[in-house]
Amino acid sequence: FDLMLADTQPSCVGGLNNEFIYSGRLDNQMSSYCAIQGLINSLDTLPDETFIRGVLLYDNEETGSESAQGAMSEFTQHTLRRMTRDDYERSVSNSFLVSADMAHGVHPNYSSLHDRDHRPSLLNGGVVVKTNCCNRYATTAFTATLLKEIARLSNVPLQEFSMRNDMPCGTTVGPILSARLGMSTVDIGAPQLSMHSIREMTSTQALEHYIEFFNGFYKNFKQVYESIEH
């Protein structure tokens, strides 16, 4: 028999001080919402902007991204080529991609599954920078450095996560797009619990940090990018 469950309860805020969000599909609708909201919030700084700001939202990431509209398809390349025409290669080399998925927070009953020194300890501790030596995440030294400087200018706290080397690691669209486009990429996420269950959990402050980060990213990227030798 195969049993597939679906939560019929609406999303809600709870906790002693209303500090938690309980909802299905936080992974990855929360990243989608925060990226779009951050883009909208940053539009007041558009004058004299020479960089194109955008958000890419993909289908089918949880089943491998190999579809006509997924990250494994040619959709992104075709779209960028139409936008940039003869300057495609130059534009890609001067671009930066933030792969924004969610991140596994530390469950108090299973803290041993995380490396003690490389784990997102708090749901309200800040945006998580995700690194993996086997390229399951696309973060590099350069992209992490740029991201940390943007977060500093945006007053957004960061946490760092790297999976224990004796355990398998999930992945995101980040390595797919980084490899296909040859574009500098960093993997980030907001910390949450019970990922992929019918009822997931994060904190209201994590939502605020995520939106503030994207707002700061769109506003400060050009300044930081041009100040770093790469």
Side-chain angles (χ1 to χ4, degrees):
F1 295 95
D2 189 16
L3 180 65
M4 302 186 70
L5 304 176
D7 193 357
T8 62
Q9 301 301 311
S11 302
C12 66
V13 173
L16 186 63
N17 298 304
N18 286 329
E19 69 269 42
F20 297 119
I21 299 173
Y22 305 99
S23 173
R25 299 177 298 283
L26 288 172
D27 178 37
N28 194 29
Q29 291 184 6
M30 181 165 160
S31 297
S32 301
Y33 168 76
C34 292
I36 293 173
Q37 193 62 50
L39 175 62
I40 294 171
N41 293 345
S42 75
L43 296 181
D44 60 342
T45 59
L46 277 176
D48 301 321
E49 179 66 87
T50 57
F51 280 66
I52 297 174
R53 308 177 186 187
V55 178
L56 294 167
L57 307 178
Y58 291 100
D59 284 339
N60 312 124
E61 189 268 341
E62 296 295 352
T63 57
S65 299
E66 197 165 3
S67 64
Q69 63 275 5
M72 192 78 78
S73 72
E74 297 292 326
F75 173 78
T76 306
Q77 291 92 317
H78 291 172
T79 301
L80 293 177
R81 286 186 185 279
R82 289 198 301 269
M83 290 171 57
T84 57
R85 298 183 184 276
D86 296 333
D87 290 328
Y88 172 75
E89 286 78 11
R90 185 181 297 110
S91 297
V92 167
S93 67
N94 288 322
S95 296
F96 190 87
L97 177 65
V98 177
S99 170
D101 208 327
M102 298 294 278
H104 290 282
V106 179
H107 193 293
N109 292 338
Y110 303 98
S111 59
S112 62
L113 297 179
H114 290 258
D115 188 296
R116 182 181 62 185
D117 298 320
H118 303 91
R119 62 184 185 179
S121 299
L122 301 172
L123 292 184
N124 61 356
V127 175
V128 180
V129 183
K130 302 187 289 187
T131 306
N132 183 260
C133 62
C134 296
N135 295 316
R136 302 293 283 174
Y137 301 129
T139 304
T140 66
F142 164 67
T143 61
T145 299
L146 190 147
L147 183 97
K148 290 175 183 179
E149 180 62 14
I150 289 175
R152 185 187 68 80
L153 293 174
S154 308
N155 294 315
V156 175
L158 293 180
Q159 304 183 83
E160 296 195 51
F161 168 71
S162 182
M163 179 62 78
R164 278 175 38 181
N165 61 9
D166 61 344
M167 295 184 64
C169 180
T171 188
T172 68
V173 300
I176 296 173
L177 294 168
S178 178
R180 294 183 72 86
L181 297 172
M183 186 181 293
S184 297
T185 304
V186 65
D187 263 290
I188 67 169
Q192 71 164 94
L193 296 177
S194 59
M195 186 182 292
H196 299 164
S197 74
I198 62 172
R199 191 80 165 173
E200 300 176 338
M201 175 182 175
T202 188
S203 73
T204 53
Q205 198 163 11
L207 181 72
E208 294 174 3
H209 288 154
Y210 221 10
I211 294 175
E212 289 170 4
F213 166 77
F214 281 111
N215 186 20
F217 172 78
Y218 288 116
K219 288 183 176 181
N220 297 316
F221 169 74
K222 183 176 184 291
Q223 169 192 344
V224 174
Y225 183 79
E226 293 178 344
S227 70
I228 297 177
E229 293 186 6
H230 54 279

